[in-house]
Amino acid sequence: KHAFMQHLLFLTLVLWVFYSSAQCEWQEWNDWGPCESGKVPNCGPGTRLRTADNACGETKQDNGDCTAANCPVDCQWDSWTAWSGCSSLDCAAGTNSRYRSRIPGDFGGKECEGSDRDDRPCEPETCVKDCIWGEWSAWSDCTLECGGGTWTHSRDIVQYDQNGGVPCSGDSLEWDVCNTQMCGTPEPTPEPAPVPEPTPEPAPVPEPIPEPIPEPAPVPEPTPEPAPVPEPTPEPAPVPAPVPEPTPEPVPVPEPTPEPTPVPEPEPTPEPVPEPTPEP
């Protein structure tokens, strides 16, 4: 009996699952959604999504690979070719040329800028050229301000000799003496001028208080003037006696210097004469 109940329960479960499956059967997949690449603009490889539903209210999803759109491709230049030989066969100026190819763009990409050809001036390698010096530069500052210093100037080669040309001769650097004047005493350093102090603003002058106008005093009657007294006649001033001028003293006359007395020269002493010896 127990085994029969288990078998009956199993059959019931199977029938319920079969019935549920029939009731919740999945419908057909819906249409694919838009392709999304995750880039701006939306182009290139991406993914898309689709869904399906059943009667039980369930939904399932499916992802698939896709291409959103063709992305714009800009025009590109290929690498330059090697330079061609010089177009001139003598020492006249010629040109070298090189070329490159254009890889066109697509889907609205940018066009290539520039040219597919490039030229540059050239001269044949067999052209004979002499060496050429450039211009001398300006003289440098003198090493001393006085007492004799030195200064220099230089020049560079603007064209080297080629194919047996004449080489440059001379020096690229020259020097000379400068400021040969003697050094003087240095001038004293001037003292800084005193800074003037600011002028103080004048103190405001108080306005005077008007005094009251005094009443006019009574005018006294005029006093009669006294009779004029005659002034005494002044006596004439005595005339001063003339002062005699001083007599100038005579200028002393220098006495003549006496001439020196001549010294008599000594007379020569006569040599003694020997007496003759008598013969025997």
Side-chain angles (χ1 to χ4, degrees), residues 41 43 53 63 69 81 106 130 144 148 167 186 219 227 237 255-256 270 275:
C43 65
D53 302 325
N63 294 327
T81 62
D106 203 356
D130 297 335
L144 297 176
V219 179
E255 297 180 359
E275 296 179 0

Side-chain angles (χ1 to χ4, degrees), residues 169-217:
S169 60
D171 298 327
S172 61
L173 181 69
E174 288 185 349
W175 67 274
D176 200 357
V177 180
C178 55
N179 291 345
T180 57
Q181 72 276 9
M182 297 296 293
C183 296
T185 304
E187 297 181 358
T189 304
E191 297 182 357
V195 179
E197 298 181 356
T199 304
E201 297 182 357
V205 179
E207 296 181 359
I209 300 174
E211 297 180 357
I213 300 175
E215 296 181 358

